[in-house]
Amino acid sequence: EPGVTARISPRRAGAALAAAIRAQGGEIIEGQAAPADAPVIWATGAAGLAPFGGTGVKGQSAMLALDLGDQPQVFADGIHIIPHADGTVAIGSTTERDVLDDRTDEQLEAVIDRARALCPALADAPVADRWAGIRPRARSRAPLVGPWPGRPGHYVANGGFKIGLAMAPAVAAMLADLILEGRDRVPQAFWPKLKAGG
């Protein structure tokens, strides 16, 4: 169904996924090396793309406090306006190459102003949250999914850029099939390739 993924809250989706893993008896370990005999999946964001020639691209977005019910989302003039069921409206975003800080600035204010001009109902809606983050962008723009070249037992799931959240379930299923059953359903265009000298 078109647009379903755009209505999801990435922060809440991540928290829900972690809770579901724990509820099923799984364990999430952060900041520690994996056991030597376990497969390792490198889903490390922009910082992990250097060996593959990828980079990070900054994006800034905001959340407005306004209940638009089940009104449709809008994409116009490069701006996304996404009503959520919790009485907020997400708007965004910038695409800033060669900027790797996570601060919001006047570029976000311009996005907010453009969103308000596109959708007059947003005119007086207070800004409930502002954020900036670094999206991982693979060199080819296709996500990197598959074995890490030259590192047996290591796999990469990275570089999703603007489609990463939408692709996450498919990427997880492809890697599960590959790692647990040896069945390769990963498109060859997704297989990680080290950059020259990497």
Side-chain angles (χ1 to χ4, degrees):
E1 185 175 331
V4 171
T5 56
R7 286 191 177 260
I8 195 166
S9 165
R11 291 178 187 166
R12 289 181 178 172
L17 176 60
I21 289 168
R22 290 183 179 110
Q24 293 293 316
E27 183 179 11
I28 299 172
I29 301 170
E30 297 181 57
Q32 297 179 31
D37 60 344
V40 176
I41 299 173
W42 294 82
T44 52
L49 288 174
F52 306 100
T55 188
V57 178
K58 181 178 177 177
Q60 300 183 56
S61 296
M63 190 75 69
L64 304 184
L66 180 66
D67 189 350
L68 290 180
D70 61 357
Q71 292 298 309
Q73 57 188 308
V74 173
F75 177 70
D77 193 26
I79 301 291
H80 291 273
I81 301 171
I82 306 156
H84 289 288
D86 66 357
T88 61
V89 178
I91 60 169
S93 67
T94 65
T95 299
E96 303 169 53
R97 295 185 190 336
D98 303 319
V99 180
L100 298 179
D101 67 65
D102 61 358
R103 295 182 303 271
T104 61
D105 58 33
E106 68 281 348
Q107 289 189 60
L108 178 56
E109 298 312 310
V111 167
I112 293 169
D113 290 344
R114 287 171 50 209
R116 291 183 197 279
L118 285 167
C119 181
L122 300 175
D124 297 321
V127 176
D129 195 7
R130 291 175 170 83
W131 66 91
I134 307 302
R135 300 180 187 107
R137 184 186 185 278
R139 181 175 43 192
S140 71
R141 289 197 57 157
L144 301 178
V145 182
W148 186 309
R151 288 191 181 183
H154 289 241
Y155 302 84
V156 177
N158 203 344
F161 194 39
K162 293 182 179 183
I163 63 167
L165 184 63
M167 289 288 297
V171 167
M174 288 186 285
L175 280 179
D177 285 351
L178 184 63
I179 295 167
L180 301 175
E181 299 179 21
R183 191 173 30 160
D184 181 5
R185 297 186 305 111
V186 180
Q188 287 297 308
F190 289 12
W191 277 56
K193 294 170 190 66
L194 296 173
K195 71 178 181 181

